[in-house]
Amino acid sequence: YLICFSFQQRIEIHKLRQGDNLILGFSIGGGIDQDPTQNPFSEDKTDKGIYVTRVTEGGPAEVAGLQIGDKIMQVNGWDMTMVTHDQARKRLTKRNEEVVRLLVTRQSLQKAVQQSMMS
Amino acid sequence: KIEPLKVTVDFLKVPLGLKKPPLKEALAALPGKPKSQILERHKSRRSDAMDNESQYSGYSYKSGHSRSSRKHRDRRERHRSKSREGTRGDKSVTIQAPGEPLLDNESTRGDERDDNWGETTTVVTGTSEHSISHDDLTRITKDMEDSAHLDCSRHLGVALGVALALLAFLTPLAFLLLPQLLWREELEPCGTPCEGLFISVAFKLLILLLGSWALFFRRPKAFFPRVFVFRALLMVLVFLLVVSYWLFYGVRILDSRDRDYRGVVQFAVSLVDALLFVHYLAVVLLELRQLQPQFTLKAVRSADGASRFYNVGHLSIQRAAVWILENYYHDFPVYNPALLNLPKSVLSKKMSGFKVYSLGEAENSTNNSTGQSRAVIAAAARRRDNSHNEFYYEEAEHERRVRKRRARLVVAVEEAFTHIKRLQEEEQKNPREIMDPREAAQAIFASMARAMQKYLRTTKQQPYHTMESILQHLEFCITHDMTPKVGGAILNGRYLTAGPTIQYHKDRWLAKQWTLVSEEPVTNGLKDGVVFVLKRQDFSLVVSTKKIPFFKLSEEFVDPKSHKFIMRLQSETSV
């Protein structure tokens, strides 16, 4: 039988310096000012949270274990479930922070089943 | 009140017990024709039967039907003799003759119509050469009698209508004149009020005359099988009105020699008023009531499935039938039986498959090997299955051929028409070079004749277009400067597509006789679900009625200021 789990993970990303910018290596979508029905990653189409839409290969986010489709719940303690898109971007790209600690929720289907079957 | 149709005669005939004239519009109009038409129809029917059914199984099917149809006929006669009046008696005699065509049973009366219908189609195709010719003779003599009766009755009807109208028209004048003529000396003098009344009588009679002319003096568009109920009602009303007025006049005025002339004049004026109101009633009943659409009629042609929808108001079945026919001639594409046959290659394969099967069956019955017969059946079935494949390819091939020929025709016509130019007034040309439209048409016809002929042959339209008709059409197009571009007005609607029946040469659609087949009495009004059939010899129009639904319209107010919109985005930002 298939069980749908939602994992919560803490991911620590060390920003990479590229020229004048500090980049994290992923893209976000969503926000309370956006259209939640167009979000391909959300389970509930009224969910206006911030989702990871792309992860660049070899970037700091991928190295840290962030995956596409993850929903970001917190960034450095700041809540990300009820923020606008721009506020979310700002919170992730603060210039004086080199490390961001994210609390993400991931829906893992296959992994959970395989793990439970193997154990 | 003038009655141009013969239908009043039907009304009068019922109590008199005369033979009821069936629907014989064309028959009465062309008394010489029925013979040839009957024979024609028989021939066409027989040939149709041969085409559509395989030889082997055909006869057994037909003979079975004719046997059962005889039972039907007996049952129907008994039923009819119980339920019908004396007027029906004559018709039962005519229907008894076997192998009669639809022409005789013009009665559109209910149940026996259905029996007849099935019966005549089977019996006609199933009987042998000899019986048909004998039946033809009996039928022809009956038709001659009927048509003679009908002409008489129709003229009688018109005469009656005219007589009644004249009576109604002259009665007020008689009312006014009789006292003057009979006891002039005793009459009290009547001054200005009388003169006013005289003028009003004169003008009202004039208006009545004009109104009657407008309403009733029209060429009948059809001969109905049954009396037109409303017209009959109106005639009865007028008759009763006039008679009752005469009665009162005779008793109160003539007998007692009333001296008060003004009273007499007022009496006459009241009659004219009453007649005007009857005329108003006639307008409402005959013209206005049917205008508001109440039903949707679907007319489907049985032969090829062409269908149209029409909206009509409250009409009786026979009037609705005439309405449908009027629209049929300009809405339905002309009936082309050649287009309905499957390509010969497909048909022949099919029939040969059948033949093999039947022969195999006969052989195998002696051999007693079921396995073999099953194999034959399977082979036959498989062969039958392939015919749809061939049909598809044949269709596609035909389509391509038609398109090619069409392209050639369009180009040929365009090129031909570039050479013809209208002569401008200023230009001076040699008189020998100037042509009238006919000559111009003949001049260009040569260059497109071949392409046209090939196209018509491919689309199986050549029976509808003689060279004369094509030349006439070209002449028409040249005279009116019709454009030849991409077919244009010259080819479209007439050659490239099958146009409505009415535009083809008259002989094609001149046969105006139709038979109305209905389960309900044809003077009944239309109701939801009524189905009636208009039959011709080679196809029929099946008309079904559907009531236009009752619409519940509700209102919703939209404030123009309430139209407001927002932007819904889904941005993606990389961090």
Side-chain angles (χ1 to χ4, degrees):
Chain A
Y1 39 90
L2 290 173
I3 307 166
C4 206
F5 284 99
S6 286
F7 288 117
Q8 281 204 340
Q9 266 196 306
R10 292 190 184 277
I11 293 179
E12 198 173 287
I13 305 179
H14 297 264
K15 292 188 187 178
L16 181 66
R17 183 163 287 282
Q18 254 192 11
D20 209 18
N21 302 322
L22 286 165
I23 62 163
L24 288 156
F26 67 97
S27 299
I28 53 165
I32 52 175
D33 57 336
Q34 305 283 307
D35 181 9
T37 58
Q38 293 182 40
N39 189 344
F41 304 109
S42 58
E43 205 46 14
D44 175 15
K45 288 304 169 191
T46 58
D47 185 5
K48 293 185 175 179
I50 305 293
Y51 280 80
V52 175
T53 57
R54 243 182 335 121
V55 177
T56 51
E57 275 194 16
E62 194 188 16
V63 165
L66 192 66
Q67 287 181 12
I68 187 173
D70 290 351
K71 179 179 175 182
I72 302 174
M73 311 290 282
Q74 287 179 8
V75 171
N76 286 345
W78 292 98
D79 173 54
M80 297 287 265
T81 56
M82 290 302 245
V83 293
T84 68
H85 190 83
D86 210 39
Q87 281 170 345
R89 180 190 59 82
K90 281 191 186 136
R91 292 217 184 119
L92 283 166
T93 55
K94 284 198 157 59
R95 294 181 81 84
N96 50 0
E97 289 175 356
E98 287 226 0
V99 176
V100 283
R101 292 183 180 82
L102 311 174
L103 179 67
V104 300
T105 295
R106 182 179 301 153
Q107 284 176 6
S108 294
L109 201 59
Q110 297 285 49
K111 278 204 184 127
V113 171
Q114 283 169 10
Q115 282 172 7
S116 65
M117 283 172 74
M118 282 194 296
S119 62
Chain B
K1 290 76 136 208
I2 305 292
E3 193 54 77
L5 298 185
K6 64 116 177 98
V7 289
T8 41
V9 182
D10 296 334
F11 167 73
L12 284 180
K13 273 187 179 170
V14 169
L16 292 177
L18 287 176
K19 181 166 182 179
K20 188 169 192 322
L23 169 62
K24 290 209 179 75
E25 297 87 7
L27 197 52
L30 323 153
K33 276 239 174 167
K35 195 188 319 187
S36 50
Q37 276 165 350
I38 293 161
L39 292 174
E40 268 175 37
R41 198 178 309 129
H42 272 294
K43 288 202 189 65
S44 66
R45 230 175 251 275
R46 251 178 284 128
S47 57
D48 281 347
M50 294 311 169
D51 274 345
N52 298 336
E53 293 172 6
S54 69
Q55 310 246 349
Y56 178 76
S57 56
Y59 284 117
S60 58
Y61 165 83
K62 285 168 199 161
S63 58
H65 263 251
S66 60
R67 250 179 277 123
S68 64
S69 66
R70 251 169 259 272
K71 277 189 292 189
H72 276 250
R73 213 188 295 128
D74 293 337
R75 196 166 19 101
R76 195 185 3 94
E77 275 168 22
R78 269 182 268 119
H79 171 75
R80 193 185 308 116
S81 59
K82 271 187 283 176
S83 61
R84 305 279 177 252
E85 307 152 6
T87 54
R88 301 256 155 239
D90 285 337
K91 223 194 299 101
S92 64
V93 172
T94 60
I95 289 172
Q96 264 179 25
E100 53 192 347
L102 296 158
L103 196 56
D104 250 15
N105 323 332
E106 307 295 16
S107 142
T108 54
R109 252 274 163 223
D111 38 1
E112 86 253 27
R113 172 40 97 194
D114 286 346
D115 281 345
N116 267 348
W117 187 18
E119 198 176 327
T120 50
T121 48
T122 54
V123 171
V124 164
T125 54
T127 50
S128 70
E129 203 58 52
H130 294 299
S131 64
I132 282 180
S133 59
H134 168 70
D135 294 331
D136 273 353
L137 286 174
T138 52
R139 230 178 303 110
I140 286 163
T141 49
K142 279 198 207 85
D143 288 339
M144 301 285 253
E145 291 167 7
D146 290 341
S147 62
H149 274 262
L150 196 63
D151 275 346
C152 237
S153 54
R154 208 166 271 155
H155 289 144
L156 194 64
V158 174
L160 196 79
V162 170
L164 193 64
L166 275 177
L167 179 71
F169 194 74
L170 294 175
T171 303
L173 298 174
F175 286 178
L176 291 175
L177 289 175
L178 279 176
Q180 296 276 355
L181 294 174
L182 292 179
W183 61 91
R184 182 178 227 152
E185 322 74 44
E186 300 170 2
L187 282 179
E188 291 166 16
C190 171
T192 339
C194 266
E195 283 161 19
L197 289 172
F198 284 148
I199 293 174
S200 85
V201 164
F203 273 98
K204 279 178 187 164
L205 281 178
L206 182 68
I207 290 170
L208 201 59
L209 193 67
L210 284 177
S212 305
W213 170 80
L215 198 60
F216 298 111
F217 275 60
R218 284 184 290 195
R219 294 201 61 203
K221 50 187 182 180
F223 289 129
F224 294 103
R226 290 294 167 86
V227 60
F228 192 170
V229 171
F230 287 146
R231 284 192 195 224
L233 188 73
L234 286 168
M235 290 193 52
V236 167
L237 202 63
V238 166
F239 184 70
L240 285 178
L241 189 71
V242 170
V243 161
S244 61
Y245 262 83
W246 270 111
L247 212 64
F248 273 92
Y249 187 76
V251 167
R252 299 277 182 192
I253 294 177
L254 283 181
D255 275 356
S256 60
R257 298 217 158 202
D258 194 0
R259 304 251 212 88
D260 181 14
Y261 191 55
R262 200 163 89 183
V264 175
V265 176
Q266 279 173 340
F267 190 73
V269 171
S270 72
L271 172 61
V272 179
D273 288 340
L275 287 176
L276 274 176
F277 281 122
V278 170
H279 187 264
Y280 157 75
L281 187 68
V283 169
V284 165
L285 280 183
L286 299 179
E287 304 289 322
L288 287 186
R289 188 163 175 262
Q290 75 217 40
L291 289 182
Q292 192 187 44
Q294 296 275 347
F295 299 99
T296 300
L297 298 177
K298 176 179 177 187
V300 181
R301 186 157 60 187
S302 67
D304 58 354
S307 72
R308 293 283 185 285
F309 288 86
Y310 300 106
N311 276 5
V312 296
H314 278 294
L315 287 176
S316 61
I317 291 179
Q318 57 186 7
R319 283 170 85 191
V322 170
W323 169 277
I324 292 277
L325 287 181
E326 285 169 0
N327 286 312
Y328 167 80
Y329 280 117
H330 67 75
D331 278 343
F332 278 72
V334 67
Y335 170 62
N336 195 347
L339 290 175
L340 297 174
N341 299 329
L342 286 177
K344 285 202 183 48
S345 54
V346 177
L347 256 185
S348 60
K349 285 256 171 63
K350 211 169 170 194
M351 285 177 70
S352 66
F354 264 116
K355 279 223 164 98
V356 168
Y357 173 76
S358 61
L359 286 174
E361 187 70 3
E363 284 174 5
N364 282 337
S365 58
T366 56
N367 280 352
N368 204 5
S369 54
T370 53
Q372 225 176 53
S373 65
R374 227 181 287 136
V376 170
I377 295 169
R382 252 181 279 121
R383 214 166 311 164
R384 260 203 303 264
D385 275 346
N386 279 339
S387 69
H388 69 74
N389 221 5
E390 286 156 27
F391 177 57
Y392 166 71
Y393 284 117
E394 186 74 38
E395 280 258 292
E397 183 61 37
H398 183 258
E399 189 76 9
R400 254 197 43 215
R401 238 180 290 139
V402 166
R403 284 220 194 97
K404 235 184 355 180
R405 295 260 166 98
R406 180 180 187 272
R408 285 206 193 120
L409 175 64
V410 167
V411 166
V413 165
E414 265 196 64
E415 283 178 13
F417 268 77
T418 52
H419 301 303
I420 293 285
K421 278 210 179 19
R422 192 170 266 278
L423 177 69
Q424 306 299 324
E425 289 300 325
E426 318 75 64
E427 288 178 14
Q428 297 296 323
K429 282 284 182 192
N430 199 339
R432 258 180 289 141
E433 290 177 5
I434 298 177
M435 300 184 284
D436 64 357
R438 178 82 188 175
E439 290 161 7
Q442 280 165 343
I444 40 173
F445 180 65
S447 55
M448 46 172 264
R450 191 147 181 275
M452 171 75 83
Q453 194 188 38
K454 283 187 132 177
Y455 178 78
L456 289 179
R457 200 166 289 156
T458 314
T459 53
K460 304 199 184 83
Q461 279 181 333
Q462 73 271 23
Y464 294 99
H465 300 109
T466 60
M467 190 173 108
E468 181 57 36
S469 78
I470 298 177
L471 278 174
Q472 274 178 359
H473 181 66
L474 284 177
E475 193 186 328
F476 179 79
C477 293
I478 289 171
T479 316
H480 298 282
D481 294 325
M482 304 264 195
T483 174
K485 300 250 176 280
V486 201
I490 299 167
L491 292 176
N492 282 342
R494 207 178 155 90
Y495 301 110
L496 293 185
T497 52
T501 318
I502 205 165
Q503 73 176 2
Y504 291 97
H505 193 53
K506 266 178 121 190
D507 285 345
R508 281 279 148 202
W509 57 274
L510 184 65
K512 297 171 288 222
Q513 68 191 71
W514 293 78
T515 312
L516 177 56
V517 180
S518 154
E519 287 166 18
E520 297 190 6
V522 293
T523 48
N524 274 7
L526 284 177
K527 279 193 286 284
D528 189 28
V530 162
V531 176
F532 57 93
V533 182
L534 286 158
K535 281 186 86 74
R536 280 283 310 274
Q537 55 219 47
D538 32 4
F539 62 91
S540 55
L541 278 177
V542 181
V543 182
S544 45
T545 321
K546 196 107 182 79
K547 194 166 164 50
I548 292 180
F550 178 75
F551 299 118
K552 290 198 187 127
L553 267 178
S554 56
E555 179 200 351
E556 190 181 319
F557 175 68
V558 174
D559 185 5
K561 289 198 273 274
S562 69
H563 296 297
K564 299 207 184 310
F565 298 93
I566 51 170
M567 280 278 274
R568 284 297 211 66
L569 305 166
Q570 184 66 1
S571 334
E572 194 186 353
T573 319
S574 59
V575 293

